[in-house]
Amino acid sequence: MSSDTDKIIIAIDGYSSTGKSTMARALASTIGYRYIDSGAMYRAVTLWAMRHGLIGADGSVDTEALAAALPAIKIDFAVRPDGSQLTTLNGEVVESAIRTLEVSAHVSPVAAIPAVRHALTRMQREMGATKGIVMDGRDIGTTVFPHAEMKVFCDASAEKRASRRLLELQAKGENVSYDEVLENVRSRDYIDEHREESPLRCAPDAVRLDNSDMTKDEQNAFLLSLFHNTIARLHANG
Ligand code: DC
């Protein structure tokens, strides 16, 4: 484990369902850092918009009403006794409610709204103010923390990612087909890469990780070794 003076910011970005959250959480737990799932924050805003009728049957979002409501949307993370985190929306635990396919289907357009991005970026920077944080998302190394000391960009084939996501959804009892999940993965990739505000990009100084054929243990070992190398490099540079 690192000493407090060594504490850095670790940004883990990449495509959906690349296992970023799992590996970011494992790394944070091993090195004693706080883990923040920024995607959960976009999902929580989406859930709030769905519950308040701001997403139409055609999937369109009432952008103005949502932007006006942002000050009333409080997102935080409660910590379970085992150290894992539960997303809260205005004090209510919404960890399961934000992981449904319905929320997944609406989250990308919500995450493309500049006012939403600005509000969440501000909250994320506050969470990282004291460093010692592992945050995963799409724009953490490019926009939220462009000076993060360690940046990783994850990728894997869309088919591999859809298979992983399908297993997760089936384990939760959701009745979805592989084709539906693959379509959702592809459409989210497209929106994430093509939105005007903070599109999904690999930061020039990020280390790329294609985990299509890696086990979880291999990923964890890769990240831990990168962390130790980063700390050693920072020490060497004074
Ligand atoms: O990682 P995830 O699938 O839970 O993210 C949900 C959505 O939120 C995803 O479609 C992209 C968006 N997102 C984003 O735009 N920026 C982030 N930093 C994190 C997530």
Side-chain angles (χ1 to χ4, degrees):
M1 192 176 306
S2 56
S3 73
D4 269 7
T5 51
D6 283 333
K7 286 206 164 168
I8 63 170
I9 291 183
I10 302 175
I12 302 191
D13 289 304
Y15 289 89
S16 66
S17 302
T18 44
K20 297 183 301 290
S21 305
T22 308
M23 69 176 99
R25 192 182 298 114
L27 177 66
S29 148
T30 306
I31 63 179
Y33 276 26
R34 184 173 186 210
Y35 164 64
I36 299 291
D37 174 355
S38 69
M41 299 169 75
Y42 287 94
R43 286 172 178 274
V45 172
T46 305
L47 181 67
W48 193 95
M50 284 164 55
R51 286 177 171 178
H52 289 79
L54 302 188
I55 300 186
D58 61 352
S60 59
V61 185
D62 185 339
T63 305
E64 276 185 19
L66 183 54
L70 284 168
I73 303 177
K74 304 276 178 250
I75 300 163
D76 210 340
F77 296 94
V79 183
R80 285 196 191 104
D82 69 0
S84 60
Q85 295 194 343
L86 295 170
T87 311
T88 62
L89 172 61
N90 291 336
E92 174 195 349
V93 173
V94 290
E95 193 56 39
S96 305
I98 61 170
R99 309 282 170 196
T100 61
L101 195 59
E102 206 191 344
V103 170
S104 298
H106 294 304
V107 64
S108 288
V110 170
I113 299 170
V116 171
R117 299 207 72 82
H118 296 162
L120 294 192
T121 296
R122 206 175 314 117
M123 286 171 66
Q124 289 153 5
R125 287 185 179 150
E126 277 166 22
M127 291 171 174
T130 51
K131 300 209 169 191
I133 195 164
V134 182
M135 192 176 289
D136 80 320
R138 302 293 189 287
D139 62 339
I140 309 305
T142 50
T143 301
V144 180
F145 296 119
H147 302 298
E149 291 86 349
M150 173 174 153
K151 299 182 186 178
V152 178
F153 189 85
C154 305
D155 196 4
S157 72
E159 291 76 14
K160 196 93 183 185
R161 292 185 282 132
S163 304
R164 289 177 186 157
R165 188 90 189 103
L166 181 66
L167 287 178
E168 277 171 27
L169 289 167
Q170 285 174 337
K172 281 189 282 177
E174 288 222 23
N175 183 20
V176 284
S177 70
Y178 171 79
D179 287 345
E180 271 179 282
V181 178
L182 181 60
E183 166 56 26
N184 176 250
V185 163
R186 288 200 170 124
S187 76
R188 281 207 285 159
D189 286 356
Y190 186 88
I191 301 176
D192 289 347
E193 286 175 321
H194 291 88
R195 67 170 170 246
E196 273 189 27
E197 188 83 22
S198 291
L200 174 62
R201 292 269 183 283
C202 178
D205 51 346
V207 174
R208 275 185 177 269
L209 173 65
D210 184 325
N211 63 9
S212 299
D213 298 309
M214 281 172 105
T215 64
K216 281 186 185 165
D217 284 350
E218 286 168 343
Q219 287 174 181
N220 292 345
F222 175 92
L223 284 187
L224 190 58
S225 148
L226 185 61
F227 169 73
H228 288 308
N229 290 344
T230 304
I231 295 291
R233 177 172 48 80
L234 291 170
H235 278 173
N237 292 343

